[in-house]
Amino acid sequence: MHSYNLTHLKQLESEAIFIMREIASQFERPVLLFSGGKDSIIMVRLAQKAFWPAKIPFPLMHIDTEHNFPETIAFRDKMVDEVGARLIVRSVQDSINQGRVAEERGANASRNNLQTTTLLDALEEHQFDAAFGGARRDEEKARAKERFLSHRDEFGQWDPKNQRPELWNLLNGKKLPGEHFRVFPISNWTEMDVWQYIALENLEIPSIYFSHSRKVLDRNGILLAKCDFVSPLENESYTDRVVRFRTVGDMTCTGAVESNAGTLEAIIQEVASALVTERGARADDKRSEAAMEDRKKEGYF
Amino acid sequence: MSDNHISSEKYLNMDLMRFTTAGSVDDGKSTLIGRLLYDSKAIFQDQMEAIEKTSEKMGDGYVNLALLTDGLRAEREQGITIDVAYRYFATPKRKFIIADTPGHIQYTRNMVTGASTANLAIVLVDARHGVVEQTNRHAFIASLLQIKHLVLCVNKMDLVDYTQEAFNKIVDDFETFSHKLDIPDIHYIPISALKGDNVVTKSEKMPWYDGSTLLYVLENVHIASDMNYVDCRFPVQRVIRPQSDEHHDFRGYAGRIEGGVFKPGDEIMALPSGFTTTIESIRTMDQELAEAFPPMSVVMTLNDEIDISRGDMIVRTNNQPHVNQDIDLMVCWLNDKPLNLRGKYTLKHTTQDLRCIVKDIRYKVNINTLHRIEDDLQLGLNDIGRISIRTTKPLFYDNYRRNRTTGSVILVDEFTNETVGAGMILT
């Protein structure tokens, strides 16, 4: 007998497409949050598949801290062009200029937390009622508690203790005016699934994911790239190392890992033998044990 | 968590199994999950260091593996699990999604949620205490939600000297109860999650047990036939009309196959209109398909232009679902505010949204004894009962036993918009 069996990656793909189609149909103004990182690249591919042969029926939006790696931004613009999507960019610098938020001070200052205000302002400005994100439950323990469809109140807050139960594949997107939802179609994907899918689909990704030579400084075990936004402390100095980045975030808080992985196959091998989670090199998560939960409650990605 | 050490070739051929874990307080559920994750190398060094640090801070005196799954601050502080947590691991054969459901607070609500998409349920019993009320409750919920495979793990065998008598007694007790259930495939495994006996590696302490280890069962249980490949069901999520130069006249129906196998040329009927035509093509962005089966997400084009929109269902002409406005459900209540007899709720079923009125509460189920309660008909949080509803429009559905997707509904409060009830269609 002929076996009707989908591989796990095809099942995850189908699940994500199903969710995207549900949201595009249940909501009036969805938006896809796009950072140029590998997870959001996959999200764009899934959105193309979900609505093919029509175009993606919602815009992409990037909350730009202006502390990004220039390679990521160049990649973002190229990709948006190729896909033929509409990109909205809202900048944390503008929020600072408008006095909506104040820049953090000190050696470890980061714009990571400030993004929340810019994001919530942008959602309100465009009246977006559903924002797709590429967060995965395997990334971080607070994210392991997320739903596919995550309710946010009129202040953009997440209430993890009072989430709507999610049964079967029935997504309840009903809400009151002013509220919105965050939607995480690749919740069930692991880091390995993401890399295997990138290889399977032959997707382009920013060059900083691949091994390259770069000046970095070592701060509490996190290798920060040399840039205008990080000032070395006393006793800190730059050295040339062969590195790559496992996640794409701000240059101020995204650590590099020493690596010779210059191809997708080599990255997959490296991920396969990794001893540390991909967010292990993110200084933003190391601030406290509940750093992610606290940011998420306030409306972070 | 990682999927480690698996070659790409194997990785791309794995299938997917979703399972729930349920147990009472202190029966070693977290230890068991920790053991599975550990032994399949799915725990990273930084995660391990983080929980070691927290265990030390809380003065546990040992590495508390429960902290791996308790992701929220309140959970760690109170030492309890509040909400379903999802965990991932893989072996070269399968990829696993664990829905880890808490043992006490809002127990039923969480287990029903976790069980709704699971292929298999693991129920843990403490070898010293044997089958307790909670064991039966877990098994009943697994049965009610139509999980086809159940593994009863008799844990802490090390504390009863690994004796066969202790194990056999529990198996006999459980069988007495499980006869009343609707679970076709039940496995019994004596384990010690703490010591690792029969979890991943076969125990040398229990030569009298000639069955499989837990991981072997998880890897080899036959789940491919759990889906319905007989009754063709395609709920339409969205009509795709690109209106571009390249696809000027394209009109496709996007959705996921929820039952049966569809092929181009098949004669189909659209519900509720009842119009019939044939399938022109079944496509994805990658290819044109010769056949489509659950749970594929596809786009279907038809040979005649008939009126179809979101919420409609495409079925085979010779195999139609029930169409009815008066429906009986087993409902699990998920909200503090009890079910309101004669109350109106929004009802979500496949891709349809409609409204319903609760016409009758037939009985409530005592989930420990399975007895019907007919003198107290208030359905409150975590209660399960049989109700009759009438919907504003006809529903096209199957019995939940026949199809978990076309046979399930949720009830939504019209004022708070919360999901308040989970319903399984009986007739």
Side-chain angles (χ1 to χ4, degrees), chain A residues 5 63 73-74 79 105 112 136 142 149 155 257 300:
Chain A
N5 211 352
I63 301 303
I73 299 300
M79 178 164 179
R105 290 158 196 274
N112 197 295
R136 310 187 320 266
L149 199 49
F155 297 99
V257 290
Y300 187 72

Side-chain angles (χ1 to χ4, degrees), chain B residues 356-374:
Chain B
C356 71
I357 180 163
V358 178
K359 297 192 72 179
D360 192 15
I361 300 174
R362 302 284 193 90
Y363 57 83
K364 207 157 88 172
V365 180
N366 177 326
I367 57 178
N368 298 314
T369 61
L370 305 192
H371 292 147
R372 291 180 183 185
I373 304 168
E374 281 162 351

Side-chain angles (χ1 to χ4, degrees), chain B residues 9-161:
Chain B
E9 193 198 329
K10 282 200 173 129
Y11 200 90
L12 295 174
N13 279 312
M14 293 192 293
D15 66 359
L16 180 66
M17 134 101 78
R18 299 171 199 248
F19 68 91
T20 60
T21 51
S24 358
V25 188
D26 296 331
D27 55 13
K29 180 162 63 80
S30 301
T31 317
L32 178 66
I33 293 176
R35 170 67 60 184
L36 283 170
L37 299 179
Y38 243 151
D39 289 3
S40 61
K41 301 193 183 71
I43 296 178
F44 286 110
Q45 198 177 311
D46 55 333
Q47 289 176 313
M48 200 60 205
E49 281 165 11
I51 65 166
E52 277 169 6
K53 225 164 87 187
T54 308
S55 298
E56 204 183 294
K57 204 165 77 193
M58 299 190 358
D60 285 340
Y62 61 97
V63 178
N64 184 356
L65 287 170
L67 295 169
L68 272 177
T69 44
D70 292 340
L72 301 175
R73 187 202 296 272
E75 292 178 320
R76 287 190 299 273
E77 281 170 3
Q78 299 171 40
I80 54 164
T81 311
I82 291 170
D83 201 358
V84 185
Y86 296 90
R87 297 284 148 196
Y88 305 85
F89 73 101
T91 69
K93 287 197 104 153
R94 262 188 188 155
K95 157 117 188 174
F96 297 95
I97 300 179
I98 312 177
D100 182 20
T101 57
H104 31 145
I105 292 191
Q106 301 209 331
Y107 177 74
T108 306
R109 163 181 156 151
N110 283 311
M111 177 148 181
V112 167
T113 303
S116 70
T117 51
N119 304 104
L120 178 147
I122 294 180
V123 176
L124 274 168
V125 178
D126 186 322
R128 294 168 304 171
H129 305 142
V131 173
V132 295
E133 223 173 55
Q134 291 214 25
T135 317
N136 294 345
R137 201 189 305 170
H138 302 158
F140 170 61
I141 291 172
S143 162
L144 181 71
L145 273 287
Q146 285 289 307
I147 296 181
K148 302 269 191 351
H149 314 275
L150 185 142
V151 182
L152 189 82
C153 283
V154 180
N155 191 22
K156 305 196 183 180
M157 286 300 292
D158 51 317
L159 300 181
V160 295
D161 298 327

